[in-house]
Amino acid sequence: QVQLVESGGRSVRPGDSLTLSCAASGRTFSTSAMAWFRQAPGKERECVLAIRWRDRNTYTLPSVKGRFTVTRSNDKTTAFLQMNGLQPEDTAVYYCAAGAGSPITSSLPIASTYDFWGRGTQVTVSS
């Protein structure tokens, strides 16, 4: 059974930085794609960043481009979402997701691409 566990969410002020972690048990992020999604109250879940590890083909939500990046640990068991310049509109529950296969580029931001999901971690940006 694959489990993904997010951590690192908390309340921050506008302009702050925050790093979220996604720890995987049962598989590594060595060959699959993974993504970070978020869902704000009353809004649909949206893909923030997605990456196909084998060639590092990446999708980035336009509103976070230049502010958010995704990396992984050397042992490939943990992925990170580094968020800089946080704004109130970044407030949401953030989820990590991992795929069993290697999706085509156009599928990277699509939720149904991913087989495994974490339960989410809350990020609140407020002054």
Side-chain angles (χ1 to χ4, degrees):
Q1 183 71 22
V2 175
Q3 291 187 330
L4 301 176
V5 180
E6 304 95 336
S7 62
R10 62 182 177 91
S11 294
V12 297
R13 295 185 180 277
D16 283 354
S17 296
L18 190 64
T19 300
L20 304 182
S21 301
C22 175
S25 61
R27 73 180 284 126
T28 70
F29 291 113
S30 61
T31 58
S32 64
M34 70 86 55
W36 287 93
F37 285 76
R38 69 185 182 188
Q39 187 165 20
K43 296 187 177 181
E44 293 187 357
R45 188 173 298 191
E46 62 181 356
C47 182
V48 177
L49 266 172
I51 186 168
R52 188 172 59 209
W53 292 116
R54 62 176 173 83
D55 58 4
R56 296 193 174 271
N57 199 316
T58 304
Y59 165 85
T60 306
L61 184 70
S63 63
V64 307
K65 191 163 292 186
R67 300 190 296 124
F68 290 13
T69 56
V70 61
T71 59
R72 63 180 172 179
S73 61
N74 289 335
D75 65 2
K76 301 176 182 177
T77 61
T78 305
F80 305 96
L81 179 65
Q82 174 67 44
M83 304 184 291
N84 299 322
L86 284 162
Q87 299 300 318
E89 53 265 34
D90 296 317
T91 294
V93 177
Y94 284 72
Y95 302 87
C96 69
S102 183
I104 60 175
T105 301
S106 60
S107 297
L108 286 174
I110 300 174
S112 60
T113 296
Y114 302 93
D115 306 287
F116 311 109
W117 290 79
R119 293 188 175 184
T121 186
Q122 175 72 47
V123 174
T124 302
V125 186
S126 174
S127 56

